[in-house]
Amino acid sequence: MEWAHKKKVNFIIVTHLSAYEKDLEKEIVYLDNSYEALELFKTYKNKAREQGLDIRDYDNVRWKIKKSKKDMAL
């Protein structure tokens, strides 16, 4: 940005910024999911909650070799 300023650049377009450190994810200033995807997630999160499940546990469960009935329901 400093280099561009010295060259009298009028504007800069920045795209595809990603938080590469887990603790930086909370600082992103853009929505990284579509509104449709968020609504779909909310729908299934609520359906899972009605069954006593937490959909956020999916990543911890999907690669388990021996799954419980609760894991399978998720």
Side-chain angles (χ1 to χ4, degrees):
M1 298 271 300
E2 290 176 14
W3 177 87
H5 176 71
K6 288 177 185 174
K7 298 292 183 183
K8 301 194 185 310
V9 171
N10 292 328
F11 66 92
I12 297 173
I13 297 173
V14 180
T15 63
H16 299 84
L17 292 176
S18 298
Y20 289 100
E21 300 289 332
K22 187 73 173 161
D23 58 330
L24 293 177
E25 285 181 344
K26 62 185 175 292
E27 296 185 30
I28 62 173
V29 293
Y30 57 88
L31 183 60
D32 58 349
N33 288 302
S34 69
Y35 291 107
E36 293 84 1
L38 292 173
E39 287 303 314
L40 186 63
F41 177 80
K42 286 180 192 176
T43 297
Y44 282 94
K45 183 175 83 171
N46 291 336
K47 286 183 179 187
R49 190 177 337 157
E50 289 170 4
Q51 297 177 37
L53 303 169
D54 187 341
I55 200 167
R56 295 172 298 181
D57 291 335
Y58 177 77
D59 281 339
N60 298 325
V61 169
R62 70 178 172 164
W63 297 112
K64 285 170 88 175
I65 293 172
K66 190 170 186 177
K67 294 180 177 76
S68 67
K69 285 184 180 183
K70 186 175 180 178
D71 293 343
M72 293 299 290
L74 184 59

